[in-house]
Amino acid sequence: MTLTAVSVDERLRLAKDAARQVGLLDSAAKTGMLRAIADAIDSATDTIVAANADDLERGRSAEIGDALLDRLRLDATRVAALATAVREVAELPDPVGRVLDRRTLPNGLELQKVAVPFGVVGSIYEARPNVTVDIAALALRAGNAVVLRGGSAAQSSNAALVEVMRQALASQRVSPEAIQTVDDFGRDGARALMNARGLVDVLVPRGSASLIETVVTESTVPVIETGAGVVHVYLDATARDEWARKIVLNAKTQRPSVCNAVETVLVHRDAADRLLPDLLGALAGAGVRVHGDDTTAGYDPRVVAATDADWATEYLSLDLAVRVVDDLDAALDHIRRYSTHHTESIITEDEAAATRFLAEVDSAVVLVNASTRFTDGGEFGFGAEVGISTQKLHARGPMGLAELTSTKWLGRGDGQVRT
Amino acid sequence: MTLTAVSVDERLRLAKDAARQVGLLDSAAKTGMLRAIADAIDSATDTIVAANADDLERGRSAEIGDALLDRLRLDATRVAALATAVREVAELPDPVGRVLDRRTLPNGLELQKVAVPFGVVGSIYEARPNVTVDIAALALRAGNAVVLRGGSAAQSSNAALVEVMRQALASQRVSPEAIQTVDDFGRDGARALMNARGLVDVLVPRGSASLIETVVTESTVPVIETGAGVVHVYLDATARDEWARKIVLNAKTQRPSVCNAVETVLVHRDAADRLLPDLLGALAGAGVRVHGDDTTAGYDPRVVAATDADWATEYLSLDLAVRVVDDLDAALDHIRRYSTHHTESIITEDEAAATRFLAEVDSAVVLVNASTRFTDGGEFGFGAEVGISTQKLHARGPMGLAELTSTKWLGRGDGQVRT
């Protein structure tokens, strides 16, 4: 099942051909195919770990740093977790074939709008080799072929994983060409993938803001943007003390490195005296470095002065910007200016304020009295997550398998013509 | 309500600000706003017709041809029809606020996925000034602001229509900035619109294949592609004589200039003797010029020889390509190669063939025993049509008001945090 196609274009054409076969598989066949992939990953643990060792060696030589090395690392436990994740996707409900609309025209023509696979899903991502397996499994479960372009740091690991998955497809009499990589073509591979209109139906970039920006700007293939999260929690005048403290702490510290972690807390001026001393103390106790405006800094000497850049920063660390605002309007203005339209939450006992916040904040997920950390496909009950869309076209917020499908209108008539 | 903003960027910012107001209007207010636009168009008939006379004069000097002049022309009757179309949109069900999904997480957090306006809808289109009014009305009904970029041939007509509509918004205390044009900035206006990520949420090009290609290729704003239709009807071995003839004639001749008109008929070899002599005679009788392969030409001396280019041509005229194929697989191969994924129909009495055709043809609308002319928002019962999407992201097939909305997840909790 070694990749034999010699050009990027040929690989994309093979993927498109294979997509026809995968798109027609029934649910049981797709489940079987994914179970076979999971088993093959388990069986190939040694090979995968050995390939990963090459990447780690190169990474160490290039001094990429401990954090990146950790993201890159695949040991036996992590390989087993990859297989488990594929088994979970295998058992998810099939998103293909759902009837989304039904109409019978006055002349008797019967129309159904049904969910169908996209065809070929492309993904461009960075150093984490687990994305290789995750995206392939999700795309296949939704009846798509997949073309992968991972980071060069993980090239050996990705090549091994792709080879193992392709062998598993062949063992199920599914064309191995349904999984392609263009890693070995370097930047040309990425460029070809971004401009493969007619061969690739949708492109899902996953990674840093600059990677996503590049893909959105350069692609002629339609893109689903999964974006950065400059996420806000607004503590309204009536915010309950206990909820304010526990939600801000949870949203900042439970997992600071992810896009749904809070980056800026806005505090209504009338609640500042009541809430801030305790909150700032709790944050300091949890190791959070607060970047505050002057008013905030007046409550705690540990607060460092925020600059304008802080309001626009996705820290992804134990840093937090805090600003006191005059009222709800000022909070909405701030959010409008700095939000990346991912997730915002208001903590309030005031129904009118909650209603306005829900209506006026233009983000994928808008919450009242809850932690921003809930913006997650797993938490939403999707069973898996393709990413979190921050665009408004096609998908917004956590994307599950349904977002990896398109639709098609099917009509059955008995000789109807238009008059 | 004259446009005072001096730069494209300023107009786009004004549109974005106005979108907030329009997005929060309730259904009755939006209906009132659209009725006011319709009344204003009626009242301004003389002004609009006079402005249009300037465009016609320029068009005649530039010798743009009778067909284009007819598309460009607005007389009192056509202006009245524009107003009527706006009144119809005014009464359509509001697509905003529909609850599309509901989930209660195990911790009690209640989530709703609701339809919300996109924000700012951009449109780039060609010479027909009616598109100016159509797109504005549809965008506003769905709670969006709109930025228009029409063809330079209709510039005076479009300017008059935009001015009239903006005055009507102001009369309803809605910001007139919710309707913008960038016509007066020429190509720079179009370029700015295509690259206004963050200000414009979606771009809908309408017009020729080359216009759409340019927009898809150059835009960094997400695009909904409304594409050309190289539409096929396949007459299977078992096609009923009467249905074959009346469906092909209807699909070709009822309105040849539109994208859902058939351009190629494929005929199963086993049905050629039975169907073609009568069909070719009927087509000739209806003034259709048939471009056929050798087998087809053998049935009728009036058939002209088809070249490979014919299979890929959207004639939009009383021309039709006809090809005899060996079987269903050959028909599917031909369609896969030449279809623009708009609409295809099979005429058959064979359930297995119908099922395969529905499953395997990768087009927005796939029909059995019906005319391709039904691919139309009005026919589908949408009440209005934004265009017919031939892409797979966000919308596919006829687009109604629902396709001019995005979604947002709203969540209400009582202090939930993630554990």
Side-chain angles (χ1 to χ4, degrees), chain A residues 16 20 24 101 103 105 107 109 111 113 116-119 197 201-202 213 216-217 219-220 222-225 243 246-247 250 254 260 333 336 341 351 354-355 357-371 373-374 376 379-382 391-394 396-398 403 405-419, chain B residues 16 20 24 101 103 105 107 109 111 113 116-119 197 201-202 213 216-217 219-220 222-225 243 246-247 250 254 260 333 336 341 351 354-355 357-371 373-374 376 379-382 391-394 396-398 403 405-419:
Chain A
K16 184 168 178 165
R20 287 167 46 208
L24 294 172
D101 198 352
R103 286 155 190 268
L105 305 195
N107 62 21
L109 181 61
L111 293 166
K113 184 181 180 182
V116 297
F118 265 118
R197 270 182 74 213
D201 294 289
V202 64
E213 177 69 23
V216 168
T217 308
S219 272
T220 56
V223 171
I224 300 180
E225 191 176 342
W243 292 359
K246 82 173 178 179
I247 288 171
N250 181 260
Q254 201 240 355
N260 59 18
D333 278 345
R336 197 174 299 124
H341 313 291
E351 179 54 32
T355 303
F357 195 84
L358 289 171
E360 297 187 30
V361 172
D362 183 25
S363 296
V365 181
V366 190
L367 300 167
V368 178
N369 295 329
S371 171
R373 290 277 294 118
F374 288 110
D376 176 283
E379 293 291 318
F380 273 41
F382 295 167
Q391 73 179 34
K392 295 185 183 176
L393 206 70
H394 184 73
R396 200 174 188 203
E403 281 70 35
T405 61
S406 180
T407 60
K408 176 158 112 173
W409 284 95
L410 304 179
R412 286 177 174 269
D414 45 13
Q416 282 87 348
V417 295
R418 188 155 162 195
T419 48
Chain B
K16 183 166 179 167
R20 287 167 46 207
L24 294 173
D101 198 352
R103 287 156 190 266
L105 304 195
N107 62 21
L109 181 62
L111 293 167
K113 184 181 180 182
V116 297
F118 265 118
R197 269 182 75 213
D201 295 289
V202 62
E213 177 69 23
V216 168
T217 308
S219 273
T220 56
V223 172
I224 300 180
E225 190 176 343
W243 292 358
K246 82 171 178 180
I247 288 171
N250 181 261
Q254 201 241 355
N260 59 18
D333 278 345
R336 195 173 301 123
H341 313 293
E351 178 54 31
T355 302
F357 195 84
L358 289 171
E360 297 187 30
V361 172
D362 183 26
S363 295
V365 182
V366 190
L367 300 167
V368 178
N369 295 330
S371 171
R373 290 276 295 117
F374 289 110
D376 176 283
E379 293 292 317
F380 273 42
F382 295 167
Q391 73 179 34
K392 294 185 183 176
L393 205 70
H394 184 73
R396 200 174 188 203
E403 281 69 34
T405 62
S406 180
T407 60
K408 176 157 114 173
W409 284 96
L410 304 178
R412 286 177 174 270
D414 45 13
Q416 282 87 349
V417 295
R418 190 156 161 194
T419 47

Side-chain angles (χ1 to χ4, degrees), chain A residues 215-384:
Chain A
V215 173
V216 168
T217 308
E218 294 191 11
S219 272
T220 56
V221 170
V223 171
I224 300 180
E225 191 176 342
T226 59
V230 176
V231 164
H232 297 77
V233 172
Y234 166 56
L235 308 179
D236 195 26
T238 61
R240 199 183 283 199
D241 297 46
E242 180 209 341
W243 292 359
R245 196 184 64 247
K246 82 173 178 179
I247 288 171
V248 169
L249 279 168
N250 181 260
K252 180 73 258 180
T253 68
Q254 201 240 355
R255 199 169 169 204
S257 64
V258 290
C259 61
N260 59 18
V262 66
E263 303 294 9
T264 298
V265 170
L266 302 170
V267 185
H268 192 296
R269 190 167 299 283
D270 296 350
D273 279 354
R274 177 170 59 87
L275 297 175
L276 272 180
D278 175 47
L279 179 64
L280 294 171
L283 285 165
V288 176
R289 178 180 162 102
V290 170
H291 306 251
D293 65 347
D294 290 347
T295 314
T296 303
Y299 288 100
D300 194 312
R302 290 165 292 191
V303 171
V304 299
T307 66
D308 273 0
D310 282 292
W311 313 128
T313 299
E314 185 183 25
Y315 297 114
L316 299 173
S317 63
L318 284 174
D319 290 80
L320 179 70
V322 178
R323 183 179 205 176
V324 173
V325 294
D326 285 340
D327 53 18
L328 174 59
D329 282 307
L332 291 170
D333 278 345
H334 180 103
I335 289 169
R336 197 174 299 124
R337 180 151 174 206
Y338 294 107
S339 165
T340 54
H341 313 291
H342 187 295
T343 301
E344 333 294 337
S345 182
I346 182 175
I347 316 303
T348 190
E349 299 287 297
D350 175 352
E351 179 54 32
T355 303
R356 274 196 66 196
F357 195 84
L358 289 171
E360 297 187 30
V361 172
D362 183 25
S363 296
V365 181
V366 190
L367 300 167
V368 178
N369 295 329
S371 171
T372 57
R373 290 277 294 118
F374 288 110
T375 299
D376 176 283
E379 293 291 318
F380 273 41
F382 295 167

Side-chain angles (χ1 to χ4, degrees), chain B residues 13-31:
Chain B
R13 284 181 191 286
L14 289 170
K16 183 166 179 167
D17 287 344
R20 287 167 46 207
Q21 187 199 359
V22 178
L24 294 173
L25 295 177
D26 65 19
S27 189
K30 284 183 280 191
T31 301

Side-chain angles (χ1 to χ4, degrees), chain A residues 158-191:
Chain A
N158 289 341
L161 289 166
V162 165
E163 169 69 11
V164 166
M165 293 193 289
R166 284 168 58 92
Q167 279 178 353
L169 291 188
S171 77
Q172 299 292 303
R173 298 188 190 170
V174 175
S175 168
E177 308 299 353
I179 301 178
Q180 297 287 341
T181 172
V182 296
D183 280 3
D184 44 330
F185 294 100
R187 286 184 197 277
D188 287 346
R191 212 169 290 123

